[in-house]
Amino acid sequence: MSIAKLASSLKPRDAEVLALAEREADPARSVQFEPICRGPWFAVAALAVVGLLSVPGMLWRLVRALLGSEARAR
Amino acid sequence: MAAARLVDAGLRVQMLDAGLQPNEYGRLVPDQPFLEARRRDANQSRYLLGDAREGVPVGSQMVGALLTPPRQYVLEPTNSSRSPIRTSGELEIRQSLALGGLGAAWGASCFTYSPAELQRMGLEPGVFPRLYDEVAAEIGVSGSLEDDCYPFSFSGARNLQPPVDLDENARSTMDAYSRNRAALNARGVHLGRSYLAVLTRELGERRANPYFDLDFYHDHGQSVYRPAITIRQLEQRENFTYTGGVLVHGFEEPASGGVTVFCRGLTDRAATEYRARTVLLCAGAVNSARIAFGGLGAAECQTSFLNSPAAFFPCVNLARLGRRPDVRRLSLAQISGILVPPDDPAELVSFQINHYASLLLFKLVKEMPLPPWAGLLVARLLVSSLSIVGVYHADSPNPRTSLRLSRSKGSGVAVADIAHTPDPAIERVRSAREQQVLAAMRQLRYLPLGAVRPKWGTSMHYAGTIPMTAAGAANALSTDRDYRLRGTRSVFVGDSSTWNYLPAKGLTFTIMANARHAAERILGSLS
């Protein structure tokens, strides 16, 4: 599996994107989608934290994608 | 524009057009800024996502992903039977049957072409400054005559409204450019405010842009020029008739004179005919060629095809990272740039900076290799500084790209087959130019996050299918210097089909000027 395919397999599925879109277009939840504006250093730190916290989820998705592709190959 | 010129000259003009009308979403967009609408408008899901959620891109969909539901009617589906185009999987050529064509969804960026570019295209450089000025006055173009990009992007036209107000993202970019101007200019990079067909002052019944940041969804006060505006104005004139809902597929020139135009109904496929003294084809590069082929009667033919390829680079504008976004802003590209390659100054590269604000976060999350919760947080942290740098290249006729026209069995409708094989040498040069642009962006404190290279053809900048050539040139379809289709007496071509070269800069403004010129040639032929 190429790196591009691996990265693609980590992207949200269509159903997840649709669910997110429905939430985003709900005015009652608009605050959950507003820009976070607490300055550049906060943004850098928050990006680093989000990156670290999402590693387990990414690994889980990666394993699932690899197992899925192997099963399909068999 | 051609019809307007002919109507102004007193001719009776009938426009035959598919003319798909806008859907109702546009009327739902409120008269308030995007950020306020997001908090309050209960109807927002209809115009943000569409009733059938057609505004939520699925799979690897790229083209149209940035076309919001109110604008999606503009693009004909790739598998359209009304306007069939066949391509290989690496290409995506799109057409429009909308009222005003692709102009119904254009980004409103206006560029003029230099005399050298016009010469390469086969057009008359001497007349274009006047034509550009006339078009600018007609549609309303805002911009500055004092700008660094003026000599490259908009020279020759002086009839301008004041430039649009810059948002904080654009202002910080221009500040960084001012600090680095000498170094960037030495590398051939020039940056400036975009020339936009967006009103900053009232023009007739059209209003100045209200800076609602909803320009991807609706044209408040008709502040952004769309060709439909001209058509609606022409409909008030007694010597103009608009006939919508028809697809022209061919013509015939009877010995008795004039032209008979053959059409089919868009919905009922009913055959109709119209008679005219003279016909001007302005159906776009693919469809004008299709009609010309239909009229000339060949079983099949192959012609040239030009497309301005583009690549897009999402970047973080570090000067705006974590900063509050503007409520009052224009959604369209406020800044444009030109790269004059030091080793090949004749082959300009054009780039535009779009700040991502009102296009919703879920579209960003979709492209991130992250769990949705993490993608959403990253999008919220980056969106106020996120910019998309679009880099556009020129194109010249070459044997690796062609349009082949043939007749479908049964219906007889002309089918367009477009083929393109990339030239590795040209691709290397284009890639190097993109790196030069990105180096300049880094100097402006933009951090590139990656590259998006859509399929060839997705820029929807097409030309060159009926080139204007000298007599005896070996092209299946061509026009003479007067825009007259070779092999006909009274059929003219007034769109980008006649161009022998497609500059990197956006083509719409020059299409309008060129259409006026073609109309003037028709007036000359009739007198």
Side-chain angles (χ1 to χ4, degrees), chain B residues 16 59 115 270 425 431 458 464-465 474 485:
Chain B
L16 303 174
S431 184
T458 50
T465 52
L485 178 65

Side-chain angles (χ1 to χ4, degrees), chain A residues 14 22 24 32 34 36 39, chain B residues 38-39 53 322 361 380:
Chain A
D14 287 345
E22 296 285 0
E24 187 167 10
Q32 298 170 16
E34 290 194 351
I36 300 172
Chain B
R38 292 278 297 107
R39 287 175 195 144
R53 299 305 181 243
L361 300 189
R380 291 179 66 194

Side-chain angles (χ1 to χ4, degrees), chain B residues 215-371:
Chain B
D215 307 286
F216 289 127
Y217 301 90
H218 182 57
D219 299 321
H220 287 90
Q222 301 186 86
S223 62
V224 178
Y225 176 77
R226 305 282 172 201
I229 292 172
T230 298
I231 295 171
R232 286 192 203 105
Q233 287 169 349
L234 287 173
E235 283 185 291
Q236 309 302 315
R237 309 278 291 271
E238 62 181 24
N239 56 335
F240 178 81
T241 307
Y242 177 79
T243 305
V246 295
L247 282 172
V248 176
H249 62 85
F251 58 83
E252 186 180 85
E253 291 188 299
S256 53
V259 187
T260 305
V261 178
F262 303 114
C263 306
R264 283 195 188 84
L266 195 60
T267 49
D268 60 7
R269 319 283 282 179
T272 46
E273 292 181 13
Y274 297 88
R275 292 272 302 150
R277 193 170 156 198
T278 299
V279 167
L280 177 62
L281 303 179
C282 292
V286 176
N287 285 322
S288 284
R290 198 195 300 267
I291 296 166
F293 167 73
L296 291 173
E300 66 171 51
C301 79
Q302 185 164 314
T303 184
S304 48
F305 184 79
L306 302 177
N307 160 58
S308 166
F312 300 92
F313 301 91
C315 298
V316 170
N317 177 8
L318 293 173
R320 297 297 304 162
L321 181 62
R323 308 284 185 200
R324 194 160 292 285
D326 303 68
V327 174
R328 183 184 180 277
R329 70 181 294 277
L330 181 78
S331 314
L332 306 172
Q334 298 166 36
I335 300 180
S336 300
I338 294 290
L339 168 69
V340 186
D343 55 334
D344 189 2
E347 205 71 27
L348 302 185
V349 174
S350 166
F351 61 98
Q352 289 187 306
I353 305 173
N354 268 292
H355 299 295
Y356 193 104
S358 60
L359 285 171
L360 302 183
L361 300 189
F362 75 86
K363 292 178 191 173
L364 293 176
V365 176
K366 175 183 177 291
E367 300 304 323
M368 292 185 200
L370 291 171

Side-chain angles (χ1 to χ4, degrees), chain A residues 7 10-12 14 16-18 20-25 27 30-40 42-44 46-47 50 53-54 58 61, chain B residues 38-39 41-42 44-45 49 53 56 58-59 321-325 360-362 365-374 376-378 380-383:
Chain A
L10 293 174
K11 291 180 182 177
D14 287 345
E16 291 173 318
V17 174
L18 181 59
L20 194 64
E22 296 285 0
R23 275 171 52 203
E24 187 167 10
S30 68
V31 70
Q32 298 170 16
F33 292 83
E34 290 194 351
I36 300 172
C37 312
R38 298 188 188 178
F42 178 88
V44 171
L47 285 169
V50 172
L53 289 178
S54 58
M58 287 167 68
R61 278 176 174 251
Chain B
R38 292 278 297 107
R39 287 175 195 144
D41 185 13
Q44 61 183 277
S45 70
L49 309 181
R53 299 305 181 243
V56 183
V58 293
L321 181 62
R323 308 284 185 200
R324 194 160 292 285
L360 302 183
L361 300 189
F362 75 86
V365 176
K366 175 183 177 291
E367 300 304 323
M368 292 185 200
L370 291 171
W373 66 267
L376 177 57
L377 277 174
V378 171
R380 291 179 66 194
L381 288 160
L382 291 182
V383 69

